[in-house]
Amino acid sequence: MPVTPPVCDFGWKAPAFSLPATDGQTYSLSDIGGDKGTLIMFICNHCPYVRSVLDRIIRDARELQALGIGVAAISSNDADAYPQDSFENMRVLADQLSLPFPYLYDADQSVAKAYDAACTPDFFGFDADLGLQYRGRLDASRKEAGPADLRRDLYLAMKQVAETGHGPKDQIPSMGCSIKWKAPV
């Protein structure tokens, strides 16, 4: 059953974090931030919604970075229940695809909880002052990638944030697999 996150809470401040990345470094939110804004994406290795558009996510990330938007992806899924989402498998994927952004591992799921992440993919687009301006979809793709000429909602919204500091008033939520939460201890 697909999950959709809530609509954008304009101005909500990005919670700080410090997480290990597949490149062997540790990144904080301040390390990721760009001069014109920041995009934090909750993704994972196994989700069919992510896998179907990962090439588009990479394309948009590169183009947004060129506009001064800092980009990072975070995987928060329970790797015990979903071994494909283990840190080692994240490293393999990052290397295979030469991801142009840090791919971070949220092993204790505290960052996903702080962001109230709901699904993969879940996109959080912040302005230069780390106020939320976009929490919408990549494009109209679902479990399968839609046509190549789909409107690029994420890219256009973050381009607008880079140019004006404000996201679009109307946003369509992302849709994907739920975050795979660990069982309470």
Side-chain angles (χ1 to χ4, degrees), residues 35-134:
D35 292 340
K36 302 282 185 166
T38 304
L39 174 62
I40 302 296
M41 309 175 284
F42 286 85
I43 68 170
C44 70
N45 284 19
H46 90 273
C47 172
Y49 291 88
V50 172
R51 294 181 67 80
S52 72
V53 295
L54 201 46
D55 59 332
R56 295 176 187 189
I57 289 173
I58 292 167
R59 171 202 65 196
D60 288 358
R62 282 192 176 111
E63 292 182 23
L64 290 171
Q65 287 167 329
L67 297 176
I69 302 289
V71 179
I74 299 173
S75 180
S76 301
N77 279 355
D78 177 359
D80 291 334
Y82 293 85
Q84 284 177 274
D85 295 334
S86 72
F87 191 49
E88 189 50 47
N89 285 327
M90 289 171 58
R91 283 185 172 141
V92 169
L93 182 73
D95 288 344
Q96 283 176 341
L97 299 177
S98 299
L99 293 181
F101 46 78
Y103 192 13
L104 310 173
Y105 186 47
D106 179 23
D108 68 4
Q109 302 184 313
S110 61
V111 178
K113 288 176 184 167
Y115 277 73
D116 200 22
C119 61
T120 54
D122 200 349
F123 302 100
F124 291 79
F126 298 95
D127 59 29
D129 296 322
L130 296 176
L132 189 64
Q133 294 296 323
Y134 187 71

